[in-house]
Amino acid sequence: MRFEQSEALKRLPEQFFASLVGKTQALKREGHDVINLGQGNPDQPTPDNIVKAMQQAAENPDYHKYSPFRGHSFLKEAVAKFYKREHGVDVDPETEVAVLFGTKTGLVEVSQCLLNAGDSALLPDPGYPDYMSGIALADAKPHFFPLLEKNHFLPDYDAISDEALDLSKLMFLNYPNNPTSAVATREFFDETVNVAKKHDICVVHDFAYGAIGFDGKKPTSFLESEGAKDVGIEMYTLSKTYNMAGWRVGFAVGNPSVIESLNLIQDHLYVSLFGALQEAAAEALLGDQSAVDELVETYETRRNALVKAAQSVGWDVTAPKGTFFAWFKVPDGFTSEEFADLLLNEAHVVVAPGKGFGETGEGYVRIGLLDEPERLKEAMERIGRLGVFGK
Ligand SMILES: Cc1ncc(COP(=O)(O)O)c(C=O)c1O
């Protein structure tokens, strides 16, 4: 028997990058030395203090039982201390923090929490694809706003119609930004709070790359803006800051009514995370942070190597300001998919075509800073040898 998928499942967007993964694997199977810069999987191990905390906590029989539904208080208190230490933001651990199974989960859940069928939500183009997944499951309508280079890849609220703003209940933002690697300013977030207040919009700021800012500039949290908690939440993942992508832990912080809704849906879906994982997550947030500084340094060194090597083969590129991605323009005469295919087939270098992140991503490719500087340099040299930059 073959059972029919629900309408909700049928509405889910296609996974644009699935075919890229397939082609990459095929080349590897053929024995080629493939440099894979196409995905967003951190390549470094989790810091030792966190792994040790997990090992020890796993032996504690208290954690072998169900965890409290909405997470252990010690983890929520750790989140509050982390926000105060890193961003000077006061957070009530019991009413303003929700523990998440990674933020991918939370980003999809929040649309189920706040949107009814037919409602509208604002989302960035290009943007992280999972925002759309939640909107599709809720049977809501997306209203995409473009992130343009001339606006430093920030939305231009004046260019969004009042009608679209008034109709929208929810807006997704993400800075430092995947895929454009742009960063946001405090002024931009202040303006966002005003727009959200005026049009009754709940802002969901995805702060996945909240620790990864270059040139000595620490990324700004949305919650640093006055009134932000009134109009929204921020989601923070441990995947990137602490190289814990496989552990599946993150949290949402901010507006108590949205936090309550996230907790409510999770009461019905899960019984919070394994207690030992919660203890390890608290160690990540409150323990020695030197590994985070080293990680940012590592990405910055890689960024510098990539940009220098790209420029030396004649690719006119702009240096990323944050995240572990570079967002480079494709040379004239190629679509982003054609260019990515050329790099894959002729240079055995995998990059993500910008179109996969939305229509406005056309004309760019995303390159992950997810290999050693020497490999990044080699990738650029291989691309340079294709002779596409008129040099
Ligand atoms: C912008 C952005 N948001 C959210 C996530 C999800 O992170 P996680 O589910 O590991 O917390 C990612 C992961 O790649 C991301 O790039």
Side-chain angles (χ1 to χ4, degrees):
M1 292 247 283
R2 187 180 153 74
F3 296 99
E4 175 95 9
Q5 290 180 344
S6 68
E7 293 306 317
L9 282 199
K10 286 185 200 159
R11 283 194 301 271
L12 283 170
E14 257 180 55
Q15 290 283 346
F16 184 90
F17 295 107
S19 78
L20 189 70
V21 173
K23 285 189 228 168
T24 306
Q25 280 163 353
L27 272 180
K28 278 192 180 158
R29 270 197 304 274
E30 286 167 22
H32 294 293
D33 173 24
V34 177
I35 304 181
N36 189 349
L37 310 176
Q39 276 143 14
N41 206 346
D43 63 319
Q44 303 286 304
T46 306
D48 224 30
N49 61 316
I50 303 170
V51 176
K52 294 238 160 64
M54 180 69 168
Q55 283 170 339
Q56 277 174 17
E59 291 181 13
N60 181 349
D62 284 347
Y63 293 145
H64 302 168
K65 305 172 186 163
Y66 289 118
S67 296
F69 266 81
R70 297 182 173 196
H72 282 283
S73 291
F74 66 75
L75 176 55
K76 291 183 272 188
E77 280 157 19
V79 170
K81 284 188 188 143
F82 171 85
Y83 255 80
K84 186 72 182 166
R85 185 190 74 215
E86 295 295 325
H87 298 289
V89 172
D90 288 306
V91 170
D92 181 324
E94 285 309 320
T95 59
E96 296 180 336
V97 177
V99 177
L100 304 171
F101 286 73
T103 48
K104 183 177 162 73
T105 316
L107 288 163
V108 175
E109 284 167 356
V110 73
S111 288
Q112 323 312 303
C113 290
L114 301 183
L115 299 176
N116 294 312
D119 283 346
S120 288
L122 290 157
L123 62 168
D125 170 14
Y128 181 64
D130 286 327
Y131 310 143
M132 187 54 220
S133 311
I135 291 170
L137 286 177
D139 204 8
K141 291 196 203 90
H143 182 96
F144 291 97
F145 52 84
L147 302 184
L148 303 173
E149 194 158 353
K150 65 173 184 174
N151 300 325
H152 310 287
F153 299 109
L154 294 168
D156 175 2
Y157 292 126
D158 292 334
I160 305 176
S161 72
D162 271 348
E163 195 196 351
L165 289 167
D166 282 336
L167 278 176
S168 297
K169 281 191 172 172
L170 191 61
M171 172 164 66
F172 290 93
L173 291 174
N174 159 228
Y175 292 97
N177 183 257
N178 176 10
T180 69
S181 74
V183 295
T185 57
R186 173 71 185 270
E187 292 71 37
F188 166 72
F189 284 139
D190 289 348
E191 187 193 356
T192 301
V193 171
N194 289 337
V195 170
K197 273 201 175 130
K198 183 168 172 210
H199 298 279
D200 258 334
I201 298 170
C202 174
V203 177
V204 176
H205 181 236
D206 176 2
F207 204 27
Y209 300 91
I212 311 174
F214 301 138
D215 308 311
K217 294 199 177 116
K218 188 184 171 79
T220 307
S221 158
F222 171 61
L223 299 182
E224 289 173 37
S225 283
E226 212 183 310
K229 268 199 277 182
D230 235 14
V231 296
I233 59 164
E234 188 155 83
M235 299 225 186
Y236 195 100
T237 177
L238 273 63
S239 297
K240 322 286 174 174
T241 308
Y242 301 103
N243 291 321
M244 294 173 71
W247 299 54
R248 311 311 304 136
V249 52
F251 48 88
V253 181
N255 185 282
S257 66
V258 183
I259 296 298
E260 171 58 29
S261 298
L262 284 167
N263 278 327
L264 177 62
I265 197 169
Q266 295 202 142
D267 286 346
H268 292 264
L269 293 171
Y270 320 105
V271 191
S272 199
L273 313 174
F274 178 32
L277 172 53
Q278 297 192 43
E279 199 169 309
E283 169 63 22
L285 296 170
L286 300 183
D288 182 9
Q289 299 294 303
S290 54
V292 180
D293 297 335
E294 282 160 28
L295 186 69
V296 176
E297 234 177 87
T298 298
Y299 288 135
E300 188 160 331
T301 304
R302 292 175 180 185
R303 180 217 41 184
N304 295 344
L306 179 81
V307 168
K308 190 163 167 231
Q311 286 169 344
S312 74
V313 300
W315 200 349
D316 180 20
V317 300
T318 312
K321 294 200 167 102
T323 74
F324 47 61
F325 300 113
W327 185 241
F328 288 173
K329 265 201 182 114
V330 305
D332 289 343
F334 295 94
T335 66
S336 63
E337 272 183 287
E338 284 165 356
F339 190 57
D341 275 346
L342 178 79
L343 302 195
L344 182 69
N345 296 326
E346 304 296 326
H348 300 152
V349 174
V350 187
V351 301
K355 177 92 180 287
F357 302 95
E359 292 296 324
T360 311
E362 184 50 272
Y364 294 86
V365 287
R366 192 193 72 177
I367 301 181
L369 302 171
L370 296 167
D371 210 333
E372 297 308 323
E374 275 314 302
R375 292 286 280 174
L376 297 172
K377 191 163 165 253
E378 188 185 331
M380 291 304 110
E381 285 165 0
R382 288 190 199 174
I383 294 171
R385 285 197 287 276
L386 301 176
V388 289
F389 302 117
K391 220 185 166 190

